[in-house]
Amino acid sequence: MNRFILIVIASFILSGCNGQSDETIMKNTSSKVLESIKSKNTKKFKGLIGVELDVIGKDDEFLQTDLDELGLYYERYTKNTTPPITLTDEYDQLGHRRVIIVFYKGTDTANNISEVNLELFFGPPNFVPLTKISDYKIVVKNLKEKPITAPPNIN
């Protein structure tokens, strides 16, 4: 009987130790995304995407262009520091959880930029493991909106 109780207690303790939390896994994955941006490693970046590229409206060329753009922002604004990773409690209509990586927040008058963020989307975990992202978006906010000029009237 003592042996049975010991086995039940041990299995209960071991089942409670399921490893890393979802938040820890998403932070680690986000850090890997940052590493791939810093090293400009397209293959590694693509490997961290858990869906086919066409599902998120990308192809290899778009992915390379996005990675080049992110690499420029990383070099320009992070100054060899690791950008903060913020896990939000926000979900989109598909159940993707949003994580925000802030590359820059300030006043860059030379480039008309006030904020540069990389938004990563995770899950839902039953479809896309949290070791991969299910989508991403580059968000650049301008200091001043660029004026839209209307074409001249032709009468």
Side-chain angles (χ1 to χ4, degrees):
M1 184 68 169
N2 287 341
R3 180 179 244 177
F4 176 73
I5 293 173
L6 182 62
I7 290 172
V8 170
I9 292 172
S11 64
F12 179 73
I13 291 171
L14 290 175
S15 67
C17 301
N18 62 356
Q20 298 177 325
S21 69
D22 289 352
E23 286 77 15
T24 302
I25 295 169
M26 288 187 287
K27 277 203 170 211
N28 289 341
T29 304
S30 299
S31 293
K32 289 178 183 177
V33 168
L34 281 174
E35 289 172 20
S36 68
I37 293 168
K38 184 178 180 180
S39 64
K40 299 179 183 177
N41 188 331
T42 307
K43 186 176 179 180
K44 186 176 178 182
F45 186 71
K46 184 178 180 180
L48 291 167
I49 299 172
V51 297
E52 296 296 322
L53 292 180
D54 61 341
V55 172
I56 59 173
K58 306 283 183 183
D59 61 18
D60 288 329
E61 191 174 326
F62 272 115
L63 193 71
Q64 183 63 54
T65 302
D66 286 347
L67 190 62
D68 291 343
E69 181 181 355
L70 287 166
L72 289 172
Y73 291 137
Y74 191 91
E75 289 173 3
R76 182 183 299 157
Y77 296 118
T78 63
K79 309 285 188 229
N80 295 322
T81 61
T82 303
I85 298 169
T86 305
L87 279 69
T88 71
D89 289 327
E90 299 170 20
Y91 294 83
D92 67 9
Q93 66 274 16
L94 299 175
H96 301 137
R97 186 171 179 184
R98 186 166 71 131
V99 172
I100 301 171
I101 302 174
V102 179
F103 280 49
Y104 178 74
K105 193 169 190 167
T107 306
D108 178 357
T109 54
N111 295 298
N112 191 35
I113 292 177
S114 65
E115 194 171 332
V116 177
N117 296 326
L118 173 61
E119 294 182 356
L120 302 177
F121 296 90
F122 287 87
N126 51 334
F127 296 113
V128 181
L130 299 177
T131 55
K132 308 273 185 183
I133 59 174
S134 49
D135 200 356
Y136 70 93
K137 184 165 66 170
I138 304 167
V139 179
V140 179
K141 295 181 181 175
N142 294 321
L143 291 169
K144 296 178 182 176
E145 292 300 317
K146 296 176 183 170
I148 299 173
T149 55
N153 285 338
I154 300 175
N155 292 339

